[in-house]
Amino acid sequence: MFFRFSTDEKLDIDYILDKVNISSVYGKSRKVDIKPYFDKDALESEYDLMDLVIENLLKHKLTFTKVRNVLKDIKEIRGTINRLEDGVVLSEVEFFELKKFAFGVRLLNNLLLPLKNLLDILPKRLLDVEKILDPKDDKIPTFYIYDNYSLVLKETREEIEKLNKDIENEKAVLFSALSKKYDLKIRPNGEIRISKSNSHYEEIVQDDNFAYLSENYGLVVFTINLNHGYSEWMKKLNKLKEIEQSEEEKVKIDLSNQLKSYVSLFLENIDRIGHLDFILGKASFAIAYNLIRPEITMGDAFEIEEGINIPVADRLRREGLEYTPIDICLERGASVITGSNMGGKTVSLKLMGQIAAMAQHGLFVPAKRVKFPLRDYIYISVGDTQDMSLGLSSFAGEMVALSEIVNQSDKRGLILVDELSRGTNPQEGYAISRSITDYLNDSNSICVFTSHFDGITKGKVHYQVRGLKNINFDNMIEGQSVIENLHHQMDFTLERVDDKEQVPKEAIPIAQMLGLNEIIISKAKEYLIQNQKGGNNNE
Amino acid sequence: MILIDQLIGKYNTISLIGMVKNAGKTTLLNELIDQAYWEKTILGLTSIGYDGEKTDSVTNTPKPTIEVFPGTLVATAQSLLNREHLRYEVLEVTDLTTVFGPIVIVRMRNHAEVELIGPRSNHGIEKVSRIMKNWGAKLVLIDGALDRVSSASPALADGVFLSTGAALSRDMNQVVNQTLHRINLLRLKSVTTNLSDFKLLKENNQIGIMDDKGHIDVIHLKTGINAGSELKNHLKNNSKYIFFPGAVTYSTLKDVVDLTHGKVAVVVSDGSKLFVERDNYHELLAKGLKIFVLDEINLIGVSINPFSPKGYYFDSEILKQRLMEKVKDLKVINVFES
């Protein structure tokens, strides 16, 4: 399991994957089955293909719109292919589907062959299949059991047609005679409906040209008995129809047998079409969101320059707010992020997980530059109620997951923990946090913690949110809510401050801005001063 | 009388609906197919949901099958095409699904009987009609339905034929009155303002109340049935219209009339969505009911079947005359007229 403890849900991976637009059923399967890469070379070659597709997409937009339309029109044939492989005789509709598929492959080739270097992801032409299912080479994507398939079929059909014509001519003469004689309307199939009260009723009953068929709505239905007088012709016609039918059956068996040898080529093409579609979706996503190809490294340095948390940036944009891109350099061992509430620590933590997850799954990433070492797994713990559904308190949930993660820290994981031990008393919470981070500092994983505890940063890489350091309360913009004002004044930048062990104290001013009453605020300020005089409780 | 000649070129799609089982709808359909055959006109055929079964599933009386001739285009479910006697060219397999497989468009290559199971939605009917037109159909006939469960509406066809007949009642007066009442409902006039707002409500399948300024209050109810108390909470002094996207019954109309004394007009998607009996309808009109539709139905004719499956029958000329007196602008056809 690459994502541990519902990490994919907590990172909003589904939201991100929703941005990858897929056109075909096969691309959809590919996307649903998306898997992480653990092999650098395989990932790099996928990235090479994406670079190629992006380059072509930007140059030939119209071609790719057409490609998408062809992909949309390619239908699910995996059921038919299974039946073909099992030796089942296919139906007309199934032959049609295979023909349409082969034509779709041809269209994709026509569109993409002129472009550069896309051969690796192009489906392979099904020339033989086209020949088999389009024997007249008329390039029309419809299907029936063509005359060309068998001489017997062709001749039988010609005979049927000729005979039918003769019969039709005779019928026309007979119909018109009978119609005149009895003042009747005869349907094209030779049926007449007549009421028993009709003056001709008795005569018709006696007339051998008519056969009783049924009776409903008080009307008697007769059919013109073509066997009478034409019995030889009708016998011959029925015989011919039998031959036609059995010959068609033979053709279907023969076609099914011929097509069976192309099962593996069909399957390979299904795979290629799925891949092409998926890469196209990923490439369009990369263009729309300005994603970049990350540098995949063998080391342990995970560096992000101007990284963007896509779900949050999208939401802020809808609210008319701007997202501040984040820089951070992580390495093996533990890093700690401290700083203001509302300073975006959780958002930045998720950003790291998202970029790692996207890179490892073969997507480009939302940043200016990223250096990413492939991971064995990703784990994130953020304050939510996921674990409570298992009957565990948030603290218990966190400890259950962490104990498993800590045991596997010899593997190369990415461990992200938001406000470690937030769910318990500050003294013990601090003690547990510090010992966990100390322990993981020596592990093979890249570990990032956010914390409000002073002192936990000792001996670790320490990042601080710049926060409200430069806040100017006189600068509040009128007509904007406190939240909007806070967002504007907040500096989300992460600064590396390894020498600082104290965490910034901005909770009280933020609470004040958010409207907590004056009496409480001034009391809180007093307690804070007392506390600091009496030495740091946490240390 | 050759009817098909008067339809070709004037209409792209025609929907056939029946007031009751055995009203002769399928007989009319086969008559039109026969005429198209004699006139060498290419038809496209489909149905709304289930239809064209060999035996009528309700009354178990023999029901004519749909007979097709070479060249006819048919949109039906795939498994109904797996019949030995059928010869056809597959033109398209759509992404519209039914329990009998996807809807497939074929061109018939022999004279045969087919069973029609078409799409259930408006979107599906429109799609297969368009495909059949593209493949050369001069006119698409839709074996439609007039019931509460069908989501596809006859209103989307360019023209509609209503079939009625003796199966409705032993009393010819009843047949005439019920048919005229249904015709009135089908021909209700369209609301004249805020059409796009009502369209949006219909697309989202939402009940909504519009006030005199055009503001819409969306009510989250699945149907209008037994919605009285909920409606009460939403109806205001300045409410002007109430829109129902689906089937509307007497009790819903009564709720609205009683709550608003006729001050709020009811708007329904189209006249085929109303299920209220004649006497009740007139009672509500007297109380001030105002009613409009979003989509008008273009009723072009009424077919009559003077025979009942129960054995009795009417003098078809009298029935025809009585209807024609009241609806002079409609064609009235006796499906068994020779």
Side-chain angles (χ1 to χ4, degrees), chain A residues 341-355:
Chain A
N341 295 81
M342 297 184 66
K345 293 193 299 293
T346 311
V347 173
S348 295
L349 200 66
K350 283 187 179 180
L351 159 72
M352 297 165 211
Q354 285 163 355
I355 286 190

Side-chain angles (χ1 to χ4, degrees), chain A residues 142-143 185 187 189 217 245, chain B residues 31 34 67 89-90 307:
Chain A
T142 68
F143 181 81
K185 194 177 87 176
R187 298 191 51 207
N189 66 356
Y217 300 139
Q245 195 172 318
Chain B
E31 174 63 29
D34 284 357
E67 209 171 322
E89 176 175 9
V90 183
F307 300 97

Side-chain angles (χ1 to χ4, degrees), chain A residues 75 91-94 96-97 100 140-147 157 168 175 185-189 191 193 215-219 241 244-245 248, chain B residues 22 27 30-31 34 37-38 62 67 69 78 81-82 84 87-95 104 109 111 135 305 307-309 335-338:
Chain A
K75 297 272 157 50
S91 69
E92 276 97 330
V93 172
E94 287 172 310
F96 166 83
E97 287 176 323
K100 193 105 201 258
I140 299 171
T142 68
F143 181 81
Y144 71 101
I145 308 290
Y146 298 96
D147 294 354
R157 282 177 175 170
E168 285 301 316
F175 279 24
K185 194 177 87 176
I186 302 173
R187 298 191 51 207
N189 66 356
E191 278 179 21
R193 281 179 300 240
E215 207 169 334
N216 68 55
Y217 300 139
L219 291 174
K241 282 184 175 170
E244 183 193 20
Q245 195 172 318
E248 281 190 6
Chain B
N22 296 301
T27 311
N30 275 329
E31 174 63 29
D34 284 357
Y37 169 78
W38 296 124
E67 209 171 322
F69 298 97
Q78 183 181 351
L81 289 166
N82 295 333
E84 279 191 347
R87 302 274 170 280
Y88 52 81
E89 176 175 9
V90 183
L91 302 180
E92 262 177 67
V93 177
T94 69
D95 50 8
V104 178
R109 306 191 70 241
H111 172 199
W135 281 104
N305 175 6
F307 300 97
S308 158
V335 290
F336 292 116
E337 201 167 85
S338 51

Side-chain angles (χ1 to χ4, degrees), chain B residues 148-259:
Chain B
R148 277 181 226 186
V149 288
S150 294
S151 62
S153 158
L156 61 91
D158 302 333
V160 172
F161 269 102
L162 175 68
S163 294
T164 185
L168 207 52
S169 168
R170 275 180 189 278
D171 176 358
M172 196 197 286
N173 287 326
Q174 280 291 325
V175 174
V176 171
N177 287 338
Q178 286 186 35
T179 304
L180 290 173
H181 170 56
R182 176 46 77 184
I183 291 171
N184 278 338
L185 297 182
L186 292 176
R187 300 180 100 183
L188 279 172
K189 289 293 168 209
S190 165
V191 66
T192 48
T193 54
N194 305 79
L195 277 170
S196 57
D197 293 316
F198 291 120
K199 274 205 176 91
L200 199 65
L201 284 170
K202 183 187 163 188
E203 273 162 31
N204 296 328
N205 198 24
Q206 286 169 326
I207 298 174
I209 294 175
M210 186 185 285
D211 67 22
D212 50 7
K213 293 200 177 60
H215 297 135
I216 293 176
D217 177 14
V218 173
I219 305 174
H220 296 282
L221 281 171
K222 282 264 177 232
T223 68
I225 295 162
N226 300 326
S229 61
E230 188 64 28
L231 295 183
K232 198 172 174 178
N233 296 333
H234 289 268
L235 286 162
K236 304 273 170 0
N237 276 334
N238 63 345
S239 298
K240 205 170 166 202
Y241 295 107
I242 179 160
F243 177 79
F244 296 98
V248 174
T249 59
Y250 167 66
S251 78
T252 306
L253 293 175
K254 188 170 184 299
D255 284 341
V256 176
V257 171
D258 288 349
L259 287 166

